[in-house]
C-alpha cells in the first residue's frame, strides 16, 4: 500500500497529539526523512517526532485505525534501505527520544531511549569506567534504537558479541499500539518467551523500541599489543 497523502482526520489527530515541532508535513522535512545511507529514496506523507512512549503508542494506534503504514527511523545511517518509507505513509523518527534514563554502574547496566546516539552513551559511560560493547563504525551518528533493530556490531563483536548479546531488556510498542516490557536489568529476568532477542534484529518489523536496558562492561585498565615476526 502506498500512502502519498494522509486522511485529513489522521493529519489532524497527529497534529493535535504532537504539536508543530513533533508533526511535520513540509516538503523539506519529508524529503530529508525519505532516504538512508542506501541512497534510495521514497517520500513519506508525514514525519512524526514523538517525545515519549505514550506518543509512540498513540501514533501506532492512529495509523492502524486509518490503515496508514509507518516506518521507524533512528539516524538513517543504515545501508539496506530499511528506514526508507517505500509504502509512503509516516516516518516515525526517534530523534527527540534521546535521553539516557539511568546509568547503574553497580548493576553494570544503562537504561536509554532509542534515539540516544551510540557515541554519546559511550562518552557518558567513560567516567564510570564502563562501556557498551557494540561499536559500529558509524557510532558517532547512529542510534541505539537503530543498533538494536539491525543487531549492529563492530570489531568488538569478536569478543563481546553483537548488539543482541549486549541487551538485557526492552520496552516496545506492538503493531496494535500496546506497550510490552520484556527482559530486565537482572540476568535472572529469564521468565517467559525471549521477546527481547526476537525484537533485536527485526528492523522495526515486529515492534517499535521505546526503551532499552543495556549490558555494560568494564573498560580495560591496561592494554598492550605485541607483534611477532
Ligand atoms: C559509515 C558507516 C559505517 C557503518 N558501519 C557499520 C558497522 O561497523 N557495523 C554495522 O553493523 N553497521 C554499520 N553501519 C550501518 C548502520 O550504521 C547501522 O546498522 C546502525 O545500527 C543503524 O542505526 P541508525 O540509527 O542509523 O538506524 P536507521 O538507519 O535509521 O534504521 C535502521 C533500521 O532500524 C529501524 N529502527 C530504528 N529505530 C528503531 C526503533 N526505535 N524501533 C524499531 N526499529 C527501529 C529502522 O526502521 C530500520 O529498519 C554503518 C553505516 C555507515 C553509514
Amino acid at each position: 500500500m502506498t500512502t502519498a497523502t494522509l486522511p485529513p482526520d489522521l493529519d489532524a489527530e497527529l497534529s493535535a497529539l504532537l504539536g508543530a515541532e513533533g508533526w511535520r508535513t513540509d516538503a523539506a522535512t519529508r524529503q530529508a526523512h525519505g532516504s538512508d545511507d542506501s541512497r534510495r529514496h521514497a517520500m513519506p506523507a508525514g514525519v512524526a517526532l514523538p517525545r515519549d512512549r505514550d506518543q509512540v503508542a498513540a501514533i501506532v494506534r492512529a495509523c492502524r485505525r486509518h490503515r496508514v503504514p509507518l516506518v521507524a527511523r533512528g539516524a538513517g545511517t543504515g545501508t539496506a534501505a530499511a528506514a526508507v518509507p517505500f509504502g509512503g505513509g509516516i516516518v516515525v523518527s526517534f530523534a527527540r527520544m534521546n535521553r539516557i534514563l539511568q546509568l547503574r554502574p553497580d548493576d553494570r547496566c544503562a537504561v536509554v531511549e532509542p534515539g540516544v546516539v551510540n557515541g554519546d552513551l559511550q562518552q557518558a559511560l567513560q567516567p564510570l569506567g564502563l562501556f557498551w560493547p557494540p561499536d559500529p563504525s558509524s557510532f558517532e551518528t547512529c542510534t541505539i534504537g537503530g543498533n538494536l533493530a539491525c543487531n549492529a556490531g563492530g570489531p568488538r563483536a569478536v569478543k563481546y558479541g553483537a548488539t543482541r548479546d549486549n541487551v538485557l531488556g526492552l520496552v516496545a510498542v506492538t503493531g496494535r499500539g500496546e506497550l510490552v516490557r520484556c527482559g530486565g536489568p537482572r540476568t535472572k529476568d529469564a521468565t517467559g518467551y525471549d521477546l527481547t532477542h526476537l525484537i533485536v534484529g527485526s528492523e522495526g518489523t515486529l515492534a517499535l523500541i521505546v526503551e532499552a536496558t543495556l549490558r555494560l562492561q568494564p573498560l580495560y585498565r591496561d592494554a598492550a599489543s605485541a607483534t611477532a615476526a
Side-chain angles (χ1 to χ4, degrees):
M1 175 184 179
T2 299
T3 313
T5 55
L6 293 174
D9 287 358
L10 177 62
D11 189 11
E13 187 174 341
L14 294 179
S15 178
L17 175 73
L18 301 167
E21 290 299 308
W23 174 236
R24 309 289 292 271
T25 53
D26 57 285
T29 304
R30 290 188 294 130
Q31 176 74 22
H33 289 77
S35 59
D36 61 9
D37 206 61
S38 68
R39 315 287 159 90
R40 299 182 69 189
H41 187 272
M43 197 74 158
V47 177
L49 295 121
R51 276 267 190 219
D52 59 43
R53 65 184 67 180
D54 292 334
Q55 288 188 344
V56 176
I59 292 165
V60 172
R61 285 196 298 270
C63 286
R64 179 180 163 84
R65 213 177 318 113
H66 290 277
R67 300 193 60 74
V68 168
L70 54 80
V71 174
R73 181 183 179 89
T77 67
T79 53
V84 177
F86 290 112
I90 288 170
V91 167
V92 180
S93 165
F94 287 95
R96 297 202 307 166
M97 287 179 64
N98 60 353
R99 287 160 289 212
I100 296 174
L101 301 173
Q102 294 176 31
L103 296 178
R104 296 166 55 173
D106 291 344
D107 297 328
R108 286 210 185 151
C109 71
V111 183
V112 301
E113 290 185 327
V116 171
V117 170
N118 181 312
D120 291 348
L121 175 65
Q122 309 294 3
Q123 273 189 17
L125 292 172
Q126 201 166 20
L128 302 173
L130 296 167
F131 72 103
W132 187 51
D135 58 343
S137 44
S138 52
F139 72 95
E140 285 175 326
T141 42
C142 67
T143 65
I144 306 288
N147 297 164
L148 291 160
C150 293
N151 191 26
R156 288 197 294 235
V158 176
K159 179 169 182 187
Y160 297 99
T163 299
R164 183 174 280 126
D165 303 300
N166 293 284
V167 55
L168 294 165
L170 296 176
V171 180
V173 174
T174 69
R176 289 179 180 274
E178 292 163 353
L179 280 165
V180 291
R181 179 179 289 274
C182 40
R186 288 166 295 272
T187 310
K188 276 292 285 172
D189 284 328
T191 318
Y193 297 113
D194 188 357
L195 295 181
T196 305
H197 292 109
L198 182 66
I199 292 171
V200 173
S202 67
E203 300 200 357
T205 58
L206 297 182
L208 301 183
I209 298 161
V210 292
E211 182 186 294
T213 303
L214 308 174
R215 185 200 304 275
L216 306 178
Q217 296 289 344
L219 280 169
Y220 340 96
R221 268 209 293 267
D222 302 303
S225 58
T227 309

